[in-house]
Amino acid sequence: MEFGELAREIRVDAAPEIVFDVVSRPEHMKMWWPDDASFEPEPGSAGELVWGDRAAVEAITVVEVDPPRRFALRWVAPAGEVPGEGNSLLVTFELEPSGDGTILRMTESGWRERGWEAAVLEEAFHDHERGWDMFLPRLRSYAPSVVAR
C-alpha cells in the first residue's frame, strides 16, 4: 500500500451551502467529528479539535475557505508545533452539487512527508481510515438537520 493519500466520497442529502457550514464551522463540526472545536473559518486561523475530556487535542490551521466548494485544514503536527506544510496532514473537503444534495470528497494527504518510520505510518494511516469511516457517516446523518443561515 502506498499511504500517499486517504480519500473518501459520500453523498449528503443537503445543499452544498449547508454541507460547507457543517465541515467548516466549529459549532457544526463538533456535532459529527470532534467533541469540541475552536477556530475561525478563515485562512490562517489557528485552533484546536478536542476529543473526550481533552484526552486528545489536535492543533489545527485553517488553510483554505472557498464556500461552498472547498474547506481545508492542517492537523496532526508534532506536539508544540503549529500545523503547516511539511509537518502535518492536510484534510480537504471538496463539495459538488448533486441533484438536491452534495457529493463530498474528503482527502487526507501529507503522510509520507511526516517522515514516520514505515510501521508508524501504516498504523496511523489505518487508524485514520477507521476514524473517517466512523465520522463521515455521522456527517451524512447530521447535515440534513441543519437549516441554512
Side-chain angles (χ1 to χ4, degrees), residues 110-143:
W111 295 93
R112 288 189 300 272
E113 294 79 357
R114 289 301 313 273
W116 288 325
E117 63 180 55
V120 172
L121 171 62
E122 185 174 355
E123 181 180 339
F125 191 91
H126 290 311
D127 183 52
H128 283 235
E129 281 183 313
R130 287 186 297 272
W132 290 116
D133 288 346
M134 179 176 72
F135 292 117
L136 289 176
R138 290 172 56 176
L139 181 159
R140 182 176 27 224
S141 298
Y142 171 71

Side-chain angles (χ1 to χ4, degrees), residues 49-111:
L49 305 179
V50 179
W51 286 267
D53 191 18
R54 298 193 66 81
V57 178
E58 285 290 342
I60 67 165
T61 302
V62 176
V63 176
E64 184 176 0
V65 182
D66 180 16
R69 292 178 286 281
R70 280 174 66 95
F71 180 76
L73 61 86
R74 289 196 164 275
W75 74 320
V76 191
E81 292 186 27
V82 174
E85 193 169 337
N87 78 342
S88 60
L89 300 177
L90 175 66
V91 175
T92 303
F93 297 100
E94 294 183 276
L95 311 175
E96 180 182 312
S98 174
D100 59 355
T102 303
I103 299 296
L104 179 145
R105 290 180 189 89
M106 183 286 306
T107 56
E108 190 173 30
S109 58
W111 295 93

Side-chain angles (χ1 to χ4, degrees), residues 22 25-36 138-139 142 145-146:
V22 168
R25 300 185 60 77
E27 64 270 25
H28 291 303
M29 191 182 278
K30 68 184 183 180
M31 301 304 290
W32 64 271
W33 187 17
D35 295 316
D36 200 8
R138 290 172 56 176
L139 181 159
Y142 171 71
S145 72
V146 176

